[in-house]
Coordinates of all heavy atoms in Angstrom, one line a residue:
M24 N 4.2 17.6 -12.1 CA 4.3 17.2 -10.7 C 4.5 18.5 -9.9 O 5.5 19.2 -10.1 CB 5.3 16.1 -10.4 CG 5.4 15.5 -9.1 SD 3.9 14.8 -8.4 CE 3.7 13.5 -9.7
H25 N 3.6 18.7 -8.9 CA 3.8 19.8 -8.1 C 4.7 19.6 -7.1 O 5.1 18.4 -6.7 CB 2.4 20.3 -7.5 CG 1.7 19.2 -6.9 ND1 1.4 19.2 -5.4 CD2 1.2 18.0 -7.2 CE1 0.8 18.1 -5.1 NE2 0.6 17.3 -6.2
N26 N 5.4 20.7 -6.6 CA 6.5 20.5 -5.7 C 6.1 20.0 -4.3 O 6.9 19.1 -3.7 CB 7.3 21.9 -5.5 CG 8.1 22.2 -6.8 OD1 8.6 21.2 -7.4 ND2 8.3 23.4 -7.1
H27 N 5.1 20.5 -3.8 CA 4.8 20.1 -2.5 C 3.9 18.8 -2.5 O 2.8 18.8 -2.6 CB 4.1 21.2 -1.8 CG 3.9 21.0 -0.2 ND1 5.1 20.9 0.6 CD2 2.9 20.5 0.5 CE1 4.7 20.5 1.8 NE2 3.4 20.2 1.8
F28 N 4.5 17.7 -2.3 CA 3.9 16.4 -2.2 C 3.7 16.1 -0.7 O 4.7 15.9 0.0 CB 4.9 15.4 -2.9 CG 4.2 14.1 -3.1 CD1 3.4 13.8 -4.2 CD2 4.3 13.0 -2.2 CE1 2.9 12.6 -4.4 CE2 3.8 11.9 -2.4 CZ 3.0 11.6 -3.5
D29 N 2.5 16.1 -0.3 CA 2.3 15.9 1.1 C 1.7 14.6 1.4 O 1.5 13.7 0.6 CB 1.4 17.0 1.8 CG 0.0 17.1 1.1 OD1 -0.4 16.1 0.4 OD2 -0.6 18.1 1.2
C30 N 1.4 14.4 2.7 CA 0.9 13.1 3.2 C -0.3 12.6 2.5 O -0.6 11.5 2.2 CB 0.7 13.1 4.7 SG 2.1 13.5 5.7
H31 N -1.2 13.6 2.3 CA -2.5 13.3 1.6 C -2.2 12.8 0.2 O -2.9 11.9 -0.2 CB -3.3 14.7 1.6 CG -4.6 14.4 1.1 ND1 -5.7 13.8 1.7 CD2 -5.1 14.7 -0.2 CE1 -6.8 13.8 0.9 NE2 -6.5 14.3 -0.2
D32 N -1.3 13.5 -0.5 CA -1.0 13.0 -1.9 C -0.4 11.5 -1.8 O -0.7 10.7 -2.7 CB 0.1 14.0 -2.5 CG -0.4 15.4 -2.7 OD1 -1.6 15.4 -3.0 OD2 0.3 16.4 -2.7
L33 N 0.4 11.4 -0.9 CA 1.0 10.1 -0.8 C 0.0 9.0 -0.5 O 0.0 7.9 -1.3 CB 2.1 10.0 0.4 CG 2.9 8.6 0.4 CD1 4.3 8.9 0.8 CD2 2.3 7.8 1.5
L34 N -0.9 9.2 0.3 CA -1.9 8.3 0.7 C -2.8 8.1 -0.5 O -3.3 6.9 -0.9 CB -2.8 8.7 1.9 CG -2.0 8.6 3.2 CD1 -2.8 9.1 4.3 CD2 -1.5 7.2 3.5
G35 N -3.1 9.1 -1.3 CA -4.0 8.9 -2.5 C -3.3 8.1 -3.6 O -4.0 7.6 -4.5
S36 N -2.0 8.1 -3.6 CA -1.3 7.5 -4.7 C -0.7 6.1 -4.3 O -0.2 5.4 -5.0 CB 0.0 8.3 -5.2 OG -0.3 9.6 -5.1
L37 N -1.0 5.8 -3.1 CA -0.4 4.6 -2.5 C -0.7 3.3 -3.2 O 0.2 2.3 -3.3 CB -0.7 4.6 -1.0 CG 0.3 3.9 -0.1 CD1 1.7 4.5 -0.3 CD2 0.0 4.1 1.4
S38 N -2.0 3.1 -3.5 CA -2.3 1.8 -4.0 C -1.6 1.6 -5.5 O -1.2 0.5 -5.8 CB -3.8 1.6 -4.2 OG -4.4 2.6 -5.1
D39 N -1.5 2.7 -6.2 CA -0.8 2.6 -7.5 C 0.6 2.3 -7.3 O 1.2 1.4 -8.0 CB -0.9 3.9 -8.4 CG -2.3 4.1 -9.0 OD1 -3.0 3.1 -9.0 OD2 -2.5 5.2 -9.5
Y40 N 1.2 3.0 -6.3 CA 2.6 2.7 -6.0 C 2.8 1.3 -5.6 O 3.8 0.7 -6.2 CB 3.0 3.8 -4.9 CG 4.4 3.5 -4.4 CD1 5.5 3.9 -5.2 CD2 4.7 3.0 -3.1 CE1 6.8 3.7 -4.8 CE2 6.0 2.8 -2.6 CZ 7.0 3.2 -3.5 OH 8.3 3.1 -3.0
L41 N 2.0 0.8 -4.7 CA 2.3 -0.5 -4.3 C 1.9 -1.6 -5.3 O 2.5 -2.7 -5.3 CB 1.4 -0.8 -3.0 CG 1.9 0.0 -1.8 CD1 0.9 -0.1 -0.6 CD2 3.4 -0.3 -1.3
D42 N 1.1 -1.3 -6.2 CA 0.8 -2.2 -7.4 C 1.8 -2.0 -8.4 O 1.7 -2.8 -9.4 CB -0.6 -1.8 -7.9 CG -1.7 -2.3 -7.1 OD1 -1.5 -3.0 -6.1 OD2 -2.9 -1.8 -7.2
G43 N 2.7 -1.2 -8.3 CA 3.7 -1.0 -9.3 C 3.2 -0.3 -10.6 O 3.8 -0.4 -11.7
E44 N 2.1 0.4 -10.4 CA 1.4 1.1 -11.5 C 1.7 2.6 -11.6 O 1.3 3.2 -12.4 CB 0.0 0.8 -11.5 CG -0.3 -0.6 -11.9 CD -1.8 -1.0 -11.8 OE1 -2.6 -0.1 -11.4 OE2 -2.1 -2.1 -11.9
A45 N 2.4 3.1 -10.5 CA 2.7 4.5 -10.6 C 3.7 4.9 -11.5 O 4.6 4.1 -11.8 CB 3.1 4.9 -9.1
R46 N 3.6 6.1 -12.1 CA 4.6 6.5 -13.1 C 5.8 6.9 -12.2 O 5.9 7.1 -11.1 CB 4.2 7.8 -13.7 CG 3.1 7.6 -14.9 CD 2.4 8.9 -15.3 NE 1.8 9.4 -14.2 CZ 1.8 10.7 -13.8 NH1 2.6 11.6 -14.5 NH2 1.2 11.2 -12.8
Q47 N 7.0 6.9 -13.0 CA 8.3 6.9 -12.3 C 8.4 8.3 -11.6 O 8.9 8.2 -10.4 CB 9.4 6.9 -13.4 CG 10.7 6.5 -12.8 CD 11.7 6.3 -13.9 OE1 11.5 6.6 -15.0 NE2 12.8 5.6 -13.6
E48 N 7.9 9.3 -12.1 CA 8.1 10.6 -11.3 C 7.2 10.6 -10.0 O 7.6 11.1 -9.0 CB 7.6 11.8 -12.2 CG 6.2 11.7 -12.8 CD 5.8 12.8 -13.7 OE1 6.6 13.7 -13.8 OE2 4.8 12.7 -14.3
L49 N 6.1 9.9 -10.1 CA 5.3 9.7 -8.9 C 6.0 8.8 -7.8 O 6.0 9.1 -6.6 CB 3.9 9.0 -9.3 CG 2.9 8.9 -8.1 CD1 2.5 10.3 -7.4 CD2 1.6 8.3 -8.6
C50 N 6.5 7.7 -8.3 CA 7.4 6.9 -7.4 C 8.4 7.8 -6.7 O 8.7 7.6 -5.5 CB 8.0 5.8 -8.2 SG 6.9 4.6 -8.7
R51 N 9.1 8.6 -7.5 CA 10.2 9.4 -7.0 C 9.5 10.3 -5.9 O 10.2 10.5 -4.9 CB 10.9 10.2 -8.0 CG 12.3 10.4 -7.7 CD 13.3 10.6 -8.8 NE 12.6 11.2 -10.0 CZ 12.9 10.8 -11.2 NH1 13.6 9.7 -11.4 NH2 12.2 11.4 -12.2
A52 N 8.5 11.0 -6.2 CA 7.8 11.9 -5.3 C 7.4 11.2 -4.0 O 7.7 11.7 -2.9 CB 6.6 12.5 -5.9
I53 N 7.0 10.0 -4.1 CA 6.6 9.2 -2.9 C 7.8 8.8 -2.1 O 7.9 9.0 -0.8 CB 5.8 7.9 -3.3 CG1 4.4 8.3 -3.8 CG2 5.7 7.0 -2.2 CD1 3.7 7.2 -4.5
E54 N 8.8 8.4 -2.8 CA 10.1 8.0 -2.0 C 10.8 9.3 -1.5 O 11.3 9.2 -0.3 CB 11.0 7.3 -3.0 CG 10.6 5.8 -3.1 CD 11.0 5.1 -4.4 OE1 11.8 5.7 -5.1 OE2 10.4 4.1 -4.7
T55 N 10.7 10.4 -2.1 CA 11.3 11.6 -1.5 C 10.5 12.0 -0.2 O 11.1 12.3 0.7 CB 11.3 12.8 -2.5 OG1 11.9 12.3 -3.7 CG2 11.9 14.0 -1.9
H56 N 9.2 11.9 -0.5 CA 8.4 12.3 0.7 C 8.6 11.3 1.9 O 8.8 11.8 3.0 CB 6.9 12.3 0.3 CG 6.0 12.5 1.6 ND1 5.7 13.9 1.9 CD2 5.4 11.8 2.4 CE1 5.0 13.9 3.0 NE2 4.7 12.6 3.4
M57 N 8.7 10.0 1.6 CA 9.0 9.0 2.7 C 10.2 9.3 3.4 O 10.3 9.0 4.6 CB 8.9 7.6 2.1 CG 7.6 7.1 2.0 SD 7.6 5.3 1.8 CE 8.4 5.2 0.2
A58 N 11.3 9.7 2.7 CA 12.6 9.9 3.2 C 12.4 11.1 4.3 O 13.2 11.1 5.2 CB 13.5 10.4 2.2
E59 N 11.5 12.0 4.1 CA 11.4 13.1 5.0 C 10.2 13.0 6.0 O 10.1 13.8 6.9 CB 11.1 14.4 4.2 CG 12.1 14.8 3.3 CD 11.7 15.8 2.2 OE1 10.4 16.0 2.1 OE2 12.5 16.4 1.5
C60 N 9.4 11.9 5.9 CA 8.3 11.8 6.7 C 8.1 10.4 7.4 O 7.7 9.5 6.7 CB 7.0 12.1 5.9 SG 5.5 12.0 6.7
P61 N 8.5 10.4 8.6 CA 8.5 9.0 9.3 C 7.1 8.4 9.3 O 7.0 7.3 9.2 CB 9.0 9.4 10.7 CG 9.6 10.8 10.6 CD 9.0 11.5 9.5
N62 N 6.1 9.3 9.4 CA 4.8 8.8 9.5 C 4.4 7.9 8.3 O 3.8 6.8 8.3 CB 3.8 9.9 9.6 CG 3.6 10.4 11.0 OD1 4.1 9.7 12.0 ND2 3.1 11.5 11.3
C63 N 4.7 8.6 7.0 CA 4.4 7.9 5.8 C 5.2 6.7 5.6 O 4.8 5.7 5.1 CB 4.5 8.9 4.6 SG 3.1 10.0 4.6
R64 N 6.5 6.7 6.2 CA 7.4 5.6 6.0 C 6.7 4.4 6.8 O 6.7 3.2 6.3 CB 8.7 5.9 6.6 CG 9.9 5.2 5.9 CD 11.2 6.1 6.0 NE 11.4 6.5 7.4 CZ 12.0 7.7 7.8 NH1 12.1 8.6 6.9 NH2 12.3 7.8 9.0
I65 N 6.2 4.6 7.9 CA 5.5 3.6 8.7 C 4.3 3.0 8.0 O 4.2 1.8 7.9 CB 5.2 4.1 10.0 CG1 6.5 4.4 10.9 CG2 4.3 3.2 10.8 CD1 6.2 5.1 12.2
V66 N 3.5 4.0 7.5 CA 2.3 3.5 6.6 C 2.7 2.7 5.5 O 2.1 1.6 5.4 CB 1.5 4.8 6.2 CG1 0.4 4.4 5.3 CG2 0.9 5.6 7.4
V67 N 3.7 3.1 4.7 CA 4.0 2.3 3.6 C 4.7 1.0 4.0 O 4.4 -0.1 3.4 CB 5.0 3.1 2.7 CG1 5.6 2.3 1.5 CG2 4.3 4.4 2.1
D68 N 5.5 1.0 5.0 CA 6.1 -0.3 5.5 C 5.1 -1.3 5.9 O 5.1 -2.5 5.6 CB 7.0 0.0 6.7 CG 8.5 0.2 6.3 OD1 8.7 0.2 5.0 OD2 9.3 0.3 7.2
T69 N 4.2 -0.7 6.7 CA 3.0 -1.6 7.3 C 2.2 -2.1 6.1 O 1.9 -3.4 6.1 CB 2.2 -0.8 8.2 OG1 3.0 -0.2 9.2 CG2 1.1 -1.6 8.8
L70 N 1.9 -1.3 5.1 CA 1.1 -1.8 4.0 C 1.9 -2.9 3.2 O 1.3 -3.8 2.7 CB 0.7 -0.6 3.1 CG -0.7 0.0 3.5 CD1 -0.8 1.2 2.6 CD2 -1.7 -1.0 3.1
K71 N 3.2 -2.6 2.9 CA 3.9 -3.6 2.2 C 3.9 -4.9 2.9 O 3.8 -5.9 2.3 CB 5.4 -3.1 2.1 CG 5.6 -2.1 0.9 CD 7.0 -1.8 0.8 CE 7.3 -0.9 -0.4 NZ 8.7 -0.3 -0.3
K72 N 4.1 -4.9 4.2 CA 4.1 -6.1 5.0 C 2.7 -6.8 4.9 O 2.6 -7.9 4.8 CB 4.4 -5.9 6.4 CG 5.9 -5.7 6.6 CD 6.3 -5.6 8.1 CE 7.7 -5.1 8.3 NZ 7.8 -3.9 9.1
T73 N 1.8 -6.0 4.9 CA 0.4 -6.5 4.9 C 0.1 -7.2 3.5 O -0.5 -8.3 3.5 CB -0.7 -5.4 5.1 OG1 -0.4 -4.8 6.4 CG2 -2.1 -5.9 5.2
I74 N 0.5 -6.5 2.5 CA 0.3 -7.0 1.2 C 1.0 -8.3 1.0 O 0.5 -9.2 0.4 CB 0.6 -5.9 0.1 CG1 -0.4 -4.8 0.2 CG2 0.8 -6.5 -1.3 CD1 -0.1 -3.6 -0.6
Y75 N 2.3 -8.3 1.5 CA 3.0 -9.6 1.5 C 2.3 -10.7 2.2 O 2.2 -11.8 1.6 CB 4.4 -9.4 2.1 CG 5.2 -10.6 2.3 CD1 5.9 -11.1 1.2 CD2 5.2 -11.2 3.3 CE1 6.6 -12.2 1.2 CE2 5.9 -12.5 3.5 CZ 6.6 -12.9 2.4 OH 7.3 -14.1 2.5
L76 N 1.8 -10.4 3.3 CA 1.0 -11.3 4.0 C -0.2 -11.8 3.3 O -0.6 -13.0 3.2 CB 0.5 -10.7 5.4 CG -0.3 -11.5 6.3 CD1 0.5 -12.6 7.0 CD2 -1.0 -10.6 7.4
V77 N -0.8 -10.9 2.7 CA -2.1 -11.2 1.9 C -1.7 -12.1 0.7 O -2.4 -13.1 0.5 CB -2.7 -9.8 1.3 CG1 -3.8 -10.2 0.2 CG2 -3.4 -9.2 2.5
H78 N -0.6 -11.8 0.1 CA -0.2 -12.7 -1.1 C 0.2 -14.1 -0.5 O -0.1 -15.1 -1.1 CB 1.0 -12.1 -1.8 CG 0.6 -11.0 -2.7 ND1 -0.4 -11.1 -3.7 CD2 1.1 -9.7 -2.7 CE1 -0.5 -10.0 -4.3 NE2 0.4 -9.0 -3.7
A79 N 0.8 -14.1 0.7 CA 1.3 -15.3 1.2 C 0.0 -16.1 1.6 O 0.0 -17.4 1.4 CB 2.1 -15.1 2.5
T80 N -1.0 -15.5 2.2 CA -2.2 -16.2 2.6 C -2.9 -16.6 1.4 O -3.7 -17.7 1.3 CB -3.0 -15.5 3.6 OG1 -3.4 -14.3 3.0 CG2 -2.4 -15.3 4.9
A81 N -2.9 -15.8 0.3 CA -3.7 -16.1 -0.9 C -3.2 -17.5 -1.4 O -4.0 -18.2 -2.1 CB -3.6 -15.0 -1.9
E82 N -2.0 -17.8 -1.3 CA -1.4 -19.0 -1.9 C -1.5 -20.3 -0.8 O -1.2 -21.3 -1.2 CB 0.0 -18.8 -2.2 CG 0.2 -18.0 -3.5 CD 1.6 -17.4 -3.7 OE1 2.5 -18.0 -3.1 OE2 1.7 -16.4 -4.5
S83 N -1.9 -19.9 0.3 CA -2.1 -21.0 1.3 C -3.4 -21.6 1.2 O -4.2 -21.2 0.4 CB -1.7 -20.5 2.7 OG -2.8 -19.7 3.1
Q84 N -3.6 -22.5 2.1 CA -4.9 -23.3 2.2 C -6.0 -22.6 3.0 O -6.9 -23.2 3.5 CB -4.7 -24.7 2.6 CG -3.6 -25.4 1.8 CD -4.1 -25.8 0.4 OE1 -5.4 -25.9 0.2 NE2 -3.2 -26.0 -0.5
L85 N -5.8 -21.3 3.3 CA -6.8 -20.7 4.1 C -8.2 -20.8 3.6 O -8.4 -20.4 2.4 CB -6.3 -19.2 4.3 CG -6.5 -18.5 5.6 CD1 -5.6 -19.3 6.7 CD2 -5.9 -17.1 5.5
P86 N -9.1 -21.1 4.5 CA -10.6 -21.2 3.9 C -11.0 -19.7 3.4 O -10.6 -18.7 4.0 CB -11.3 -21.6 5.1 CG -10.4 -22.2 6.0 CD -9.0 -21.6 5.8
D87 N -11.8 -19.7 2.4 CA -12.2 -18.4 1.9 C -12.8 -17.5 2.9 O -12.5 -16.2 2.8 CB -13.2 -18.7 0.7 CG -12.5 -19.1 -0.6 OD1 -11.3 -19.1 -0.6 OD2 -13.2 -19.5 -1.5
D88 N -13.6 -18.0 3.8 CA -14.3 -17.1 4.7 C -13.2 -16.5 5.7 O -13.4 -15.3 6.0 CB -15.5 -17.8 5.4 CG -15.0 -18.9 6.2 OD1 -14.0 -19.7 5.8 OD2 -15.5 -19.2 7.4
V89 N -12.3 -17.2 6.0 CA -11.2 -16.7 6.9 C -10.5 -15.7 6.2 O -10.1 -14.6 6.7 CB -10.2 -17.9 7.4 CG1 -9.1 -17.3 8.2 CG2 -11.1 -18.9 8.2
R90 N -10.1 -15.9 4.9 CA -9.3 -15.0 4.1 C -10.1 -13.7 4.0 O -9.6 -12.6 4.1 CB -9.1 -15.6 2.8 CG -8.0 -14.8 2.0 CD -7.2 -15.8 1.1 NE -8.0 -16.5 0.2 CZ -8.3 -16.0 -1.1 NH1 -7.7 -14.8 -1.4 NH2 -9.0 -16.7 -1.9
A91 N -11.4 -13.9 3.7 CA -12.2 -12.8 3.5 C -12.3 -11.8 4.7 O -12.3 -10.7 4.7 CB -13.7 -13.1 3.0
R92 N -12.3 -12.5 5.9 CA -12.4 -11.8 7.1 C -11.1 -11.1 7.4 O -11.0 -10.0 7.9 CB -12.7 -12.8 8.3 CG -13.4 -12.2 9.5 CD -14.2 -13.2 10.3 NE -13.4 -14.3 10.7 CZ -13.8 -15.5 10.7 NH1 -15.0 -15.9 10.2 NH2 -12.9 -16.5 11.1
L93 N -10.0 -11.8 7.1 CA -8.7 -11.2 7.3 C -8.6 -9.9 6.4 O -8.1 -8.9 6.9 CB -7.6 -12.2 6.9 CG -6.1 -11.7 6.9 CD1 -5.7 -11.4 8.3 CD2 -5.2 -12.8 6.3
Y94 N -8.9 -10.0 5.2 CA -8.8 -8.9 4.2 C -9.7 -7.8 4.7 O -9.3 -6.6 4.7 CB -9.4 -9.4 2.8 CG -8.4 -10.0 2.0 CD1 -7.4 -11.0 2.6 CD2 -8.4 -9.8 0.7 CE1 -6.6 -11.7 1.8 CE2 -7.5 -10.6 -0.2 CZ -6.6 -11.5 0.4 OH -5.7 -12.2 -0.3
K95 N -10.9 -8.1 5.3 CA -11.8 -7.1 5.8 C -11.2 -6.4 6.9 O -11.2 -5.2 7.1 CB -13.2 -7.7 6.1 CG -14.3 -6.7 5.9 CD -15.6 -7.4 6.2 CE -16.7 -6.4 6.1 NZ -18.0 -6.8 6.6
T96 N -10.7 -7.2 7.8 CA -10.0 -6.6 9.1 C -8.9 -5.6 8.7 O -8.7 -4.6 9.3 CB -9.4 -7.7 9.9 OG1 -10.5 -8.7 10.3 CG2 -8.9 -7.2 11.2
L97 N -8.1 -6.0 7.6 CA -7.0 -5.2 7.3 C -7.5 -4.0 6.3 O -6.6 -3.3 5.8 CB -5.9 -6.0 6.5 CG -5.4 -7.2 7.5 CD1 -4.5 -8.2 6.6 CD2 -4.5 -6.5 8.5
E98 N -8.8 -4.1 6.0 CA -9.3 -3.0 5.1 C -8.7 -3.2 3.7 O -8.3 -2.2 3.0 CB -9.2 -1.6 5.7 CG -10.0 -1.5 6.9 CD -10.0 0.0 7.5 OE1 -9.0 0.6 7.1 OE2 -10.9 0.2 8.2
L99 N -8.5 -4.5 3.3 CA -7.9 -4.6 2.0 C -8.8 -5.2 1.0 O -8.5 -5.9 0.1 CB -6.7 -5.5 2.2 CG -5.5 -4.9 2.8 CD1 -4.4 -5.9 3.0 CD2 -5.0 -3.8 1.8
T100 N -10.2 -5.0 1.2 CA -11.1 -5.7 0.4 C -10.9 -5.3 -1.1 O -11.3 -6.1 -2.0 CB -12.5 -5.2 0.7 OG1 -12.6 -3.8 1.1 CG2 -13.1 -6.0 2.1
D101 N -10.3 -4.2 -1.4 CA -9.9 -3.8 -2.8 C -9.1 -4.9 -3.4 O -9.2 -5.1 -4.6 CB -9.2 -2.5 -2.8 CG -10.1 -1.3 -2.7 OD1 -11.3 -1.5 -2.6 OD2 -9.6 -0.2 -2.6
Y102 N -8.2 -5.5 -2.6 CA -7.3 -6.6 -3.2 C -8.1 -7.9 -3.4 O -7.5 -8.8 -4.0 CB -6.1 -6.7 -2.2 CG -5.2 -5.5 -2.3 CD1 -5.5 -4.5 -1.4 CD2 -4.2 -5.4 -3.2 CE1 -4.6 -3.4 -1.4 CE2 -3.4 -4.3 -3.3 CZ -3.7 -3.3 -2.3 OH -2.9 -2.2 -2.4
L103 N -9.2 -8.0 -2.9 CA -10.0 -9.3 -3.1 C -10.5 -9.4 -4.6 O -10.8 -10.4 -5.0 CB -11.2 -9.3 -2.2 CG -10.9 -9.9 -0.8 CD1 -12.2 -9.8 0.1 CD2 -10.6 -11.4 -1.0
K104 N -10.6 -8.2 -5.2 CA -11.2 -8.3 -6.6 C -10.3 -8.9 -7.6 O -9.0 -8.8 -7.5 CB -11.5 -6.8 -7.1 CG -12.6 -6.2 -6.3 CD -12.7 -4.7 -6.6 CE -13.5 -4.0 -5.5 NZ -13.1 -2.5 -5.4
Ligands
ZN211 ZN1 3.9 12.0 5.1

């Protein structure tokens, strides 16, 4: 793991991190970076909330087309797979 973990690295690793698939050292790098970078903290917070919302709606009775539109709006089409 290189020392300078920047915003670009964080964004690139984010989906693994949020899926719980990132290696421990990567998680630590992300968390260290977030502690120092308010921007990334906001991005990660927002994404976590969004993913929570997506899971919540996935279990609800939302019609498929509405759900698809919501996912698309949130640019989360990756999570539809
Ligand atoms: Zn950052």
Side-chain angles (χ1 to χ4, degrees):
M24 185 60 58
H25 51 116
N26 283 330
H27 190 72
F28 188 87
D29 62 20
C30 300
H31 183 80
D32 294 328
L33 185 139
L34 292 174
S36 325
L37 211 49
S38 62
D39 281 350
Y40 176 69
L41 293 171
D42 286 345
E44 284 170 8
R46 283 167 298 130
Q47 205 172 13
E48 55 183 354
L49 179 60
C50 289
R51 204 152 39 220
I53 288 171
E54 277 152 18
T55 304
H56 179 85
M57 274 197 293
E59 296 166 349
C60 181
N62 280 344
C63 286
R64 216 149 54 216
I65 289 166
V66 169
V67 172
D68 266 8
T69 305
L70 266 173
K71 276 185 178 168
K72 281 183 194 130
T73 305
I74 288 166
Y75 174 80
L76 177 74
V77 165
H78 285 306
T80 57
E82 285 164 18
S83 73
Q84 302 291 335
L85 218 56
D87 281 352
D88 61 326
V89 175
R90 193 151 60 92
R92 207 157 53 223
L93 175 68
Y94 280 35
K95 209 175 171 190
T96 305
L97 297 170
E98 296 184 340
L99 285 174
T100 43
D101 281 356
Y102 290 91
L103 271 174
K104 289 171 199 156

